[in-house]
Amino acid sequence: MEIKGTIYRVAGPVVTVINVPTKMYDVVKIGNEGLMGEVIGIEGDKSTIQVYEDTSGIAPGEPVENTNMPLSVELGPGLLESIYDGIQRPLPVLMEMMKSDFIERGVTATGLKRDKKWEFVPTVTKGTSVAGGDIIGTVQETHNIEHRIMVPPNMSGVIDTIKKGSFTVAECVCRLTDGTELSLMQKWPVRAPRPVSKKLMPNVPLITGQRILDGLFPVAKGGTAAIPGPFGSGKTVTQQQLAKWSDTEIVVYIGCGERGNEMADVLNEFPELEDPKTGRPLMERTVLIANTSNMPVAAREASVYTGITIAEYYRDMGYDVSLMADSTSRWAEAMREISSRLEEMPGEEGYPAYLSARLSEFYERAGRVNTLSGHAGSVTVIGAVSPPGGDFSEPVTQNTLRIVKVFWALDAKLSQRRHFPSINWLESYSLYNNTLSDWYDEHVSPEWSEMRGDVMEILQKESELQEIVQLVGSDALPEDQQLTMEVARMIREYFLQQNAFHDVDTFCTMEKQYKLISAIMKYSDLAITALESGTPLENILAVKAKDTLAKVKFEEDFEPTLKTVLSAMDEEFEELRR
Amino acid sequence: MKEYKTITEVSGPLIFVEKTEPIGYNELVYIKLEDGTTKRGQVLDTSNDIVVVQIFEGTGGLNRECGVRFTGETIKLPVSIDLLGRILSGSGDPLDGGPNIVADDRLDINGAAMNPYARQPPADFIQTGISTIDGMNTLVRGQKLPIFSGSGLPHNEIALQIARQAKVPGSDEKFAVVFAGMGITNEEAQTFMHDFERTGALERAVIFLNLADDPAVERLITPRLALTAAEYLAYEHDMHVLVVLTDMTNYAEALRQMGAAREEVPGRRGYPGYMYTDLSMIYERAGVIKGRKGSVTQFPILSMPGDDITHPIPDLSGYITEGQIVISRDLHRKGIYPPINVLPSLSRLMNSGIGEEQTRDDHKAVSDQMYAGYAEGNDLRGLVAIVGKDALSERDRKFLEFADMFEDQFVRQGKDEDRDIEKTLEIGWNLLAELPEAQLTRIDNELIKKYHPAHRAK
């Protein structure tokens, strides 16, 4: 049922309407062109609407329709490989419908294609009693991803009929005895988290293939991480690397208020990327949401919710999902902008007082869970924050840090030195190190946790020594400290530095990480022993094998080289001893 | 079209008008003064009762008797290929004494957001002839690369040199420059005009001038006019357009002024909370579209108040633009032109524009190595100030020398010196050859063998 009212006032993306009953967060259609908007305030018979499209030319007196539905996304087969804007309109379809390379307004497009047929295979039979979240059948969505069709969370009953065959997302495939019809698609309001049966402890790491992340600052599956970084510190590259290489089945990437050209890069690059595990296009397990900074601000505000709802939907099927939000600062700024248009009382730095609540609500939607149907699934949220002026004390960064467990501090100074990924090893932290140590002991090596501690200690020592070197020069240090400096340099250059654009170095397995760091630590041990037995430091530093170690990370089949390096190292030290 | 004589309030650049028919948001408004002159404005807020209009030419001379006409459409720029060679005011009227533009089309100056799916990732190398840019902060077509500068620094000369020299090596595609001056002094404008005329660049340029004594509100539309013209030339006439916007700081000041006049809740340092979105509507109009020949590349110039890169204007700009070229007062004081400090400078699209097919296979490695070397040498300067040169190791001394030579030979160049990329890389290699070869850790051995002067000589 649609009720018509009229526009009372237009001020940018905020429109006031009268004579139409609304509920909070109802989607309404504004003006003759039917622009999409959402109710964000009600006062008397006036409702305040944030409009997802440009409002130029819209005048008071134009009609308003209430759809009586909250902002929802369509969930079903066809999500993967899609490229959406912030309110789940597929961008390629928009381009076709608008016949333009620019985003015109007043065009609506459904999130899922209505004409595409999917091969549905039921997994339950007549008479089975099903509840919300139960899987009733499957659709092969892309080559490697099986889409599990679920009963919507708030529904239950006994299967009356269920059909195998070819269906569109809107067609009925299953009827319950009470007459309820189920299709391949369900709708879910974006602002409400999808229910789960139980939240689990995150004790499995998300393997990203990035040495500094897996090695020193791991994030757990179902965990939350923040990447803050002043501009120009390599944040976007790091996030794209994560999207490409993390060991999750599904990737949701939200470009929220980001640069158009960078988004274009993502949109172009993803379809060409190959999934290292299957050899298939990476896009087959990816959903992209692109809302560039010049697209309407209200849609930017909605985009993170759209993204996380889609992520939760795949989690409910029992998949591990990683969600990248780039950047949550842009999202917070969208909130601020709308809040100021609403003339709300501002909190810190003009951000609305509910900033902290909104951020924590969002990050709490991450987690490793038992789904309603009893499967294990996870959503890992990696949010980028872009603190103005690199000042971490600003509200968005501070409120984010209170919630997330992992902090990857990007450092512009490192990127100026072309140290990539420019993640500062002293300022970053991961609170998952303890929960994950069992996993590392079992799957990588029992020595791992200890070695990690040693590496951190050396790096920490280096930074202390650096201060002394700044004052008196490195020659003034005692020999053992000079050696520490050298080992720290090796850790930085041979292990921490990783070239995202190098074919081999872009991804590093846990095994290779472990062997690389072991080799560096082996040099350290040999060198310390040699130093103690009186070998001059000069000779120890001149060991050639350690310089060849620098090249190991660039080799696909690194084992033979590493072996040669290690035995050469042994020989050289043997030589020194004589 | 009805004319209202119902102005109820005039406040700063804003007027409040009562009306009877519905008025659209962002509509263009004409105000007729008692002396017969006309001013233009734009609707900021419209409701059943009252309309708020901002006046571009300022509200001087306005009173409650003035006639207000609402045009029912948003502001449009008449465009045609004849725009080339013209000098227009900050609101689009001819300043050069020429005739009005005979319009092929009239385009909405706000533009629409490019569908991200329609964008072509920029990848065509533009050679500016300036080593610090080409070699280490490479510009590509469709990029927006601002110059962060300060008062008293030669950013305008650099912008002009780039406008003069920019080309894609080995291509003879159509090229145009759109220049928008916002709040620049008459003297600066003269310098620009003189240079455009001197080099004959005017005939392939469109110039929009809002001078320092023109109304501040007009500054809000000047860059939009310029970009509308640029998009028209790029997408309708297949031209590669370089847009120079100077000075974006003046634009942001005007934005703040308007925000204050509208009694908005101010954000950081009094700038409006929507400044990020507003700036992005300007900067994001750079780009390349799949299947179209033309492109829009932006060179915004902004002077950082107090040389503070964390000031909201450079800060928010940096989040939208794809990198920045930072002008350094220290280098300028040393008498080095162009005083570009490569350390905080960055071109985010550099990697897609360089390499074997675009420039040369060693480009990235050379650039990385020079960055690392210069950064290290630069850090050592601090140390030398404390302990003196003699306390440095041999290796450190080499790096210190490298930093000095880098500034003197690589950064420094003539105002009309147009170095091609080969020349830039050659200078780079000659400098790197001064460092011990073992220290060149960022460069593959193969490349060292291929390009290092010591190996090439053999």
Side-chain angles (χ1 to χ4, degrees):
Chain A
M1 186 189 62
E2 285 169 348
I3 311 152
K4 294 207 175 187
T6 51
I7 297 177
Y8 174 76
R9 177 184 172 196
V10 187
V14 174
V15 170
T16 313
V17 303
I18 44 171
N19 296 331
V20 52
T22 54
K23 297 189 295 297
M24 280 297 274
Y25 301 125
D26 274 356
V27 170
V28 288
K29 303 219 156 163
I30 299 287
N32 299 324
E33 292 170 78
L35 308 185
M36 267 198 31
E38 189 181 6
V39 179
I40 51 170
I42 300 169
E43 198 187 337
D45 62 349
K46 287 180 192 155
S47 310
T48 311
I49 318 284
Q50 63 174 357
V51 183
Y52 297 124
E53 297 174 78
D54 178 37
T55 50
S56 291
I58 304 295
E62 288 188 33
V64 175
E65 279 176 27
N66 187 0
T67 62
N68 270 321
M69 283 275 293
L71 181 67
S72 304
V73 285
E74 295 184 349
L75 301 167
L79 283 170
L80 296 178
E81 296 184 275
S82 290
I83 300 170
Y84 293 120
D85 75 351
I87 46 175
Q88 214 204 7
R89 296 186 301 177
L91 290 171
V93 176
L94 287 186
M95 202 168 122
E96 224 168 86
M97 289 172 72
M98 295 170 182
K99 297 197 173 47
S100 162
D101 296 327
F102 296 88
I103 306 258
E104 317 279 336
R105 58 185 195 186
V107 178
T108 45
T110 54
L112 297 175
K113 279 197 184 117
R114 287 294 184 274
D115 49 356
K116 174 144 181 160
K117 293 231 173 201
W118 300 92
E119 221 34 67
F120 175 70
V121 184
T123 50
V124 292
T125 49
K126 182 178 169 154
T128 320
S129 101
V130 290
D134 282 351
I135 293 163
I136 56 167
T138 62
V139 163
Q140 197 65 37
E141 186 173 1
T142 62
H143 194 269
N144 283 303
I145 299 294
E146 179 192 74
H147 193 108
R148 296 160 193 158
I149 305 298
M150 295 171 289
V151 179
N154 39 19
M155 235 177 244
S156 63
V158 176
I159 306 261
D160 182 30
T161 52
I162 185 161
K163 294 177 281 188
K164 182 180 188 313
S166 206
F167 300 98
T168 66
V169 287
E171 283 173 304
C172 161
V173 295
C174 173
R175 194 186 307 271
L176 303 181
T177 45
D178 63 359
T180 315
E181 290 188 346
L182 300 181
S183 65
L184 299 182
M185 176 185 82
Q186 48 180 287
K187 284 193 178 185
W188 190 262
V190 296
R191 292 182 197 277
R194 286 174 64 87
V196 297
S197 136
K198 191 183 167 201
K199 286 215 166 191
L200 303 172
M201 272 303 280
N203 52 15
V204 181
L206 180 82
I207 301 298
T208 62
Q210 310 303 305
R211 287 186 292 266
I212 186 161
L213 306 186
D214 295 349
L216 300 185
F217 311 107
V219 63
K221 280 196 177 124
T224 50
I227 315 184
F231 61 79
S233 56
K235 178 193 68 192
T236 313
V237 176
T238 309
Q239 274 209 320
Q240 291 181 5
Q241 282 295 96
L242 284 167
K244 284 179 208 167
W245 295 106
S246 337
D247 65 336
T248 47
E249 280 113 347
I250 308 287
V251 176
V252 180
Y253 186 97
I254 310 169
C256 173
E258 275 298 320
R259 302 177 181 86
N261 281 333
E262 250 161 46
M263 216 51 240
D265 215 28
V266 174
L267 301 187
N268 260 273
E269 208 177 302
F270 261 85
E272 282 169 23
L273 283 177
E274 196 176 86
D275 188 339
K277 274 157 271 178
T278 57
R280 304 283 307 177
L282 185 63
M283 206 51 203
E284 290 187 351
R285 55 187 188 87
T286 306
V287 184
L288 293 176
I289 294 171
N291 212 81
T292 56
S293 53
N294 56 339
M295 283 155 77
V297 64
R300 191 192 320 159
E301 197 268 337
S303 65
V304 297
Y305 293 108
T306 303
I308 199 150
T309 308
I310 293 173
E312 285 176 335
Y313 175 66
Y314 279 96
R315 172 204 68 193
D316 290 348
M317 294 179 205
Y319 286 120
D320 289 321
V321 185
S322 54
L323 176 126
M324 325 271 159
D326 189 7
S327 126
T328 55
S329 295
R330 303 283 92 86
W331 174 50
E333 270 157 23
M335 275 191 254
R336 171 164 74 180
E337 201 173 317
I338 293 161
S339 164
S340 95
R341 300 256 187 202
L342 291 176
E343 295 168 4
E344 289 173 343
M345 185 72 82
E348 213 179 335
E349 290 199 15
Y351 286 102
Y354 47 79
L355 171 74
S356 163
R358 290 276 174 88
L359 279 169
S360 42
E361 273 165 27
F362 169 68
Y363 280 104
E364 267 307 289
R365 288 175 76 169
R368 199 163 148 259
V369 305
N370 269 336
T371 66
L372 292 178
S373 59
H375 293 79
S378 69
V379 174
T380 310
V381 174
I382 297 161
V385 284
S386 338
D391 168 20
F392 287 177
S393 68
E394 59 90 40
V396 182
T397 312
Q398 280 308 310
N399 282 307
T400 305
L401 288 185
R402 279 215 297 276
I403 309 156
V404 300
K405 297 279 192 300
V406 179
F407 177 66
W408 293 323
L410 286 171
D411 187 339
K413 277 215 180 88
L414 288 174
S415 81
Q416 279 175 20
R417 284 159 193 267
R418 293 301 185 259
H419 175 110
F420 292 117
S422 47
I423 294 170
N424 186 312
W425 48 90
L426 298 170
E427 283 172 30
S428 302
Y429 59 76
S430 165
L431 300 182
Y432 292 115
N433 267 318
N434 290 334
T435 28
L436 295 176
S437 62
D438 287 347
W439 188 95
Y440 278 106
D441 287 351
E442 194 181 321
H443 293 86
V444 184
S445 158
E447 296 159 27
W448 180 266
S449 301
E450 203 191 319
M451 208 182 301
R452 179 190 176 278
D454 292 346
V455 168
M456 284 308 292
E457 199 184 319
I458 292 171
L459 291 172
Q460 176 63 39
K461 245 188 222 156
E462 186 203 24
S463 86
E464 286 163 20
L465 294 176
Q466 207 97 55
E467 281 170 28
I468 304 175
V469 171
Q470 288 284 325
L471 291 174
V472 297
S474 65
D475 291 344
L477 289 180
E479 290 201 324
D480 61 326
Q481 294 188 347
Q482 287 189 39
L483 183 64
T484 310
M485 295 282 289
E486 175 64 10
V487 175
R489 185 192 66 84
M490 288 168 68
I491 295 174
R492 281 190 284 113
E493 291 184 9
Y494 304 167
F495 184 76
L496 297 184
Q497 284 186 9
Q498 189 166 1
N499 186 345
F501 301 99
H502 190 283
D503 291 342
V504 174
D505 199 30
T506 182
F507 179 83
C508 189
T509 61
M510 277 317 290
E511 191 201 352
K512 190 170 172 183
Q513 294 188 24
Y514 169 66
K515 289 192 170 153
L516 267 176
I517 200 76
S518 307
I520 296 170
M521 297 312 277
K522 181 178 169 182
Y523 170 80
S524 168
D525 291 343
L526 286 172
I528 290 169
T529 328
L531 195 64
E532 278 167 0
S533 61
T535 318
L537 181 68
E538 257 173 81
N539 298 354
I540 297 175
L541 295 186
V543 167
K544 285 199 194 70
K546 97 180 173 206
D547 294 328
T548 15
L549 196 54
K551 315 279 179 201
V552 175
K553 63 180 178 184
F554 295 114
E555 288 186 31
E556 174 99 70
D557 185 20
F558 68 98
E559 303 252 17
T561 323
L562 190 64
K563 229 180 201 167
T564 341
V565 172
L566 288 175
S567 57
M569 202 191 283
D570 277 329
E571 272 168 38
E572 280 186 76
F573 274 102
E574 192 65 28
E575 197 97 334
L576 289 178
R577 220 166 304 163
R578 287 201 210 112
Chain B
M1 215 181 315
K2 259 188 206 162
E3 184 169 302
Y4 292 94
K5 294 216 173 201
T6 48
I7 297 179
T8 56
E9 188 185 335
V10 181
S11 157
L14 305 182
I15 59 169
F16 296 74
V17 187
E18 280 177 2
K19 45 84 204 184
T20 50
E21 55 191 350
I23 302 302
Y25 175 70
N26 259 351
E27 230 174 70
L28 177 65
V29 183
Y30 288 109
I31 295 95
K32 205 165 167 200
L33 270 65
E34 281 180 317
D35 62 4
T37 52
T38 309
K39 287 178 187 264
R40 282 174 302 176
Q42 187 178 14
V43 176
L44 285 184
D45 190 333
T46 168
S47 71
N48 280 0
D49 315 320
I50 210 149
V51 173
V52 184
V53 180
Q54 68 176 7
I55 309 298
F56 295 123
E57 287 92 350
T59 42
L62 270 176
N63 64 8
R64 295 187 51 193
E65 312 308 318
C66 293
V68 180
R69 284 185 301 130
F70 296 95
T71 59
E73 59 171 32
T74 51
I75 303 178
K76 297 207 161 70
L77 175 73
V79 288
S80 93
I81 190 73
D82 297 334
L83 277 171
L84 286 175
R86 298 300 302 270
I87 302 175
L88 306 169
S89 76
S91 46
D93 302 321
L95 279 186
D96 51 5
N100 281 329
I101 304 291
V102 181
D104 276 351
D105 202 354
R106 298 174 70 248
L107 300 176
D108 187 334
I109 64 156
N110 286 309
M114 215 183 268
N115 188 328
Y117 186 72
R119 275 183 191 265
Q120 175 77 35
D124 290 330
F125 167 65
I126 298 181
Q127 181 177 296
T128 64
I130 295 177
S131 288
T132 34
I133 297 177
D134 293 350
M136 300 174 76
N137 296 290
T138 314
L139 175 70
V140 297
R141 263 183 193 161
Q143 185 172 13
K144 40 199 176 294
L145 190 63
I147 297 181
F148 285 8
S149 185
S151 31
L153 293 176
H155 43 262
N156 289 341
E157 275 95 331
I158 297 174
L160 276 172
Q161 187 171 2
I162 292 166
R164 246 187 347 254
Q165 299 179 351
K167 60 177 157 294
V168 174
S171 99
D172 52 354
E173 284 164 310
K174 285 185 283 180
F175 203 79
V177 175
V178 173
F179 178 89
M182 290 158 280
I184 59 172
T185 59
N186 189 30
E187 204 177 313
E188 283 170 313
Q190 299 277 359
T191 316
F192 278 111
M193 290 310 104
H194 177 74
D195 196 84
F196 276 118
E197 277 164 22
R198 174 176 76 93
T199 56
L202 190 59
E203 63 192 55
R204 56 178 184 108
V206 191
I207 291 162
F208 293 89
L209 286 180
N210 163 280
L211 297 181
D213 56 349
D214 288 336
V217 191
E218 191 183 274
R219 268 160 229 169
L220 299 180
I221 60 169
T222 308
R224 295 185 161 83
L225 294 171
L227 286 160
T228 306
E231 282 172 357
Y232 170 77
L233 294 173
Y235 304 131
E236 300 300 326
H237 291 281
D238 297 341
M239 295 183 139
H240 294 287
V241 187
L242 184 71
V243 184
V244 178
L245 305 168
T246 182
D247 177 330
M248 286 305 287
T249 304
N250 294 336
Y251 172 84
E253 295 295 337
L255 202 62
R256 174 162 72 177
Q257 193 184 333
M258 287 312 300
R262 287 155 70 173
E263 296 177 6
E264 289 167 348
V265 180
R268 246 189 330 152
R269 300 224 193 161
Y271 293 97
Y274 51 81
M275 188 156 87
Y276 176 81
T277 307
D278 193 274
L279 288 174
S280 76
M281 308 267 273
I282 292 175
Y283 295 139
E284 280 293 342
R285 289 172 80 175
V288 189
I289 293 180
K290 283 179 195 162
R292 298 209 201 182
K293 283 202 190 108
S295 66
V296 177
T297 309
Q298 279 188 29
F299 245 113
I301 296 170
L302 50 95
S303 45
M304 300 181 282
D307 289 351
D308 176 12
I309 202 168
T310 66
H311 186 279
I313 303 170
D315 190 53
L316 294 180
S317 297
Y319 276 123
I320 308 164
T321 57
E322 284 122 359
Q324 66 276 338
I325 302 289
V326 181
I327 314 271
S328 149
R329 203 169 287 279
D330 285 347
L331 286 176
H332 183 60
R333 283 203 195 105
K334 283 188 195 169
I336 292 171
Y337 174 90
I340 293 173
N341 184 359
V342 295
L343 294 178
S345 299
L346 172 82
S347 163
R348 290 168 168 275
L349 302 179
M350 175 169 179
N351 283 329
S352 55
I354 61 172
E356 207 166 347
E357 281 160 30
Q358 306 264 12
T359 53
R360 223 168 71 178
D361 51 353
D362 59 332
H363 192 154
K364 180 162 172 49
V366 169
S367 161
D368 282 357
Q369 188 65 59
M370 284 207 287
Y371 255 110
Y374 181 58
E376 183 148 8
N378 203 32
D379 282 356
L380 286 167
R381 285 178 177 163
L383 182 60
V384 168
I386 301 171
V387 299
K389 228 177 199 171
D390 298 338
L392 291 186
S393 67
E394 180 61 30
R395 175 187 172 280
D396 287 356
R397 222 165 316 171
K398 285 275 185 208
F399 275 97
L400 193 65
E401 280 165 21
F402 175 81
D404 291 338
M405 285 190 303
F406 176 83
E407 287 172 4
D408 193 49
Q409 295 173 26
F410 190 82
V411 179
R412 187 198 295 275
Q413 69 185 83
K415 287 191 180 163
D416 282 307
E417 186 181 351
D418 189 356
R419 291 186 189 157
D420 64 16
I421 186 67
E422 293 286 334
K423 176 81 181 154
T424 292
L425 291 175
E426 188 193 316
I427 298 174
W429 272 110
N430 288 340
L431 291 174
L432 290 175
E434 300 291 325
L435 292 173
E437 204 180 305
Q439 298 295 338
L440 303 181
T441 49
R442 311 289 169 106
I443 310 179
D444 277 355
N445 276 332
E446 279 168 33
L447 290 174
I448 290 185
K449 287 206 186 88
K450 193 165 163 193
Y451 293 109
H452 195 289
H455 292 275
R456 249 186 338 191
K458 278 175 205 162

